[in-house]
Amino acid sequence: MLNVEVNDKGHLLIGGADTVKLAEDYDTPLYVIDEKRIRENYQRLHKAFTRYYPNFQILYACKANTNLTVLRILEDEGSGIDAVSPGEIYMALLSGFKPEKILYTGNNLRDDEILFATESGVMINIDSKSQLLRLSKITDPENVKISFRINPMVGAGHHEHCITGGELSKFGIREDEAIKVYKLAQELGFQPIGIHAHIGSGILDPEPFMLAVEKLMDIAGKVSKATKIDFKFIDFGGGLGIPYHPSEKPLDIKEFAEKITSLFMEKLDEHSLGEPAMYLEPGRYIVGDAACLLTRVNTIKESYRKFAGVDAGFNTLVRPVMYGSYHHIIVANRANEKPVEKIDIAGNLCESGDLFARDRKLPELREGDILAILDAGAYAFSMSSQYNSRPRPAEILVKDGEAEIIREREDFSDLISKQVIPPRLLK
Ligand code: LLP
């Protein structure tokens, strides 16, 4: 959760900037991203791990937020990238990331996507035997750096859609097939350099991570023994949660890093795995609490329930509808006022489920109020759409009280770009 600051007018500040003024200057709905917070999150995590294991690298999971400015900030911090599509590779390269710091973990890839990745020179994390065989047919195995994504049969996450390990998961290679695929890769002429697992997203409990580390290290040990592969990296994926609800406790990152690295080093020793780099792929942890969505109350309505209708919808931020996720809401123009009523916060789309909150305790809302929906830095803009033909919002970056536009608000022309009406239907 954002550490909220309030100025003497009672206005919520983000990155030192007055959110009410931002809403006036840039209109709503508006994503406001705090540069300092992104850097702090990155540095806190990096420092916690390198303290115990210096050969540590963060690969920012850019699906969380692919704004080019966010990518630039993280490149500047020294991050690498976890990319899941050719589009993400394209944007990461454009933002200055070196291909050797990009790991492409795709799922159900087409051959042209595999080719795009190999031609871009990025590392490829293979998710199935089919992908390995196709990769060997269309590329020169000697020139491609590969790893395998293993399903360690440990899964966790804030919602069942966000659990990526275990029997039901479509991701990764069965643990009992791990040795086979690494051997096959060698026979095909590849020299695999890494091993990977990602168990899920939005995890605040260190336990599943510990289990996954133990499992993946034992698998890595067996693979290395059977194939003589000298792993250059072992990648435990992302998944580190953030507290969205005031009652949730953040991960104690120092303690987490100490636990994970000590188990990791113990297992390196046990299996004589040398000193490979340890990779983590956090998305949410880096950007989740570094942004908020500003939206304006345009309608107060009492029917069978009391609603505050706002000028954003699940096209703008889908998490509450898609996962039932809680996002804390602050009345930005009266941020010091105490909650007095329970109210539903409804979006502006023509769908009954388009709600940001039900029965949320807030100060008495008025038309014209600006609401700040917090923790909207991850899986927020990146999951937005133009549903109901609503152009997407603008994004701004704030630093030391100053704001800069980093994505223009869309307009109607964006709704029709790329559409073609066959001439025979034109009058
Ligand atoms: N690595 C891999 C291979 C992943 O699939 C993901 C997320 C990550 C890293 C980063 O996970 P994070 O550190 O951000 O938890 N839309 C959902 C989250 C989906 C996550 C998908 N994969 C949400 O809004 O909660």
Side-chain angles (χ1 to χ4, degrees), residues 40-59:
E40 280 169 6
N41 289 341
Y42 180 93
Q43 288 166 14
R44 184 184 327 106
L45 188 65
H46 187 261
K47 203 167 143 201
F49 275 82
T50 47
R51 172 163 178 217
Y52 299 107
Y53 194 74
N55 194 2
F56 170 75
Q57 175 69 51
I58 293 176
L59 305 183

Side-chain angles (χ1 to χ4, degrees), residues 7-36:
N7 68 11
D8 48 12
K9 292 185 196 152
H11 294 178
L12 176 71
L13 302 176
I14 305 284
D18 181 334
T19 52
V20 179
K21 172 99 176 41
L22 293 176
E24 268 164 29
D25 292 351
Y26 296 92
D27 207 353
T28 52
L30 181 71
Y31 277 106
V32 183
I33 306 179
D34 179 351
E35 173 172 348
K36 192 162 153 234

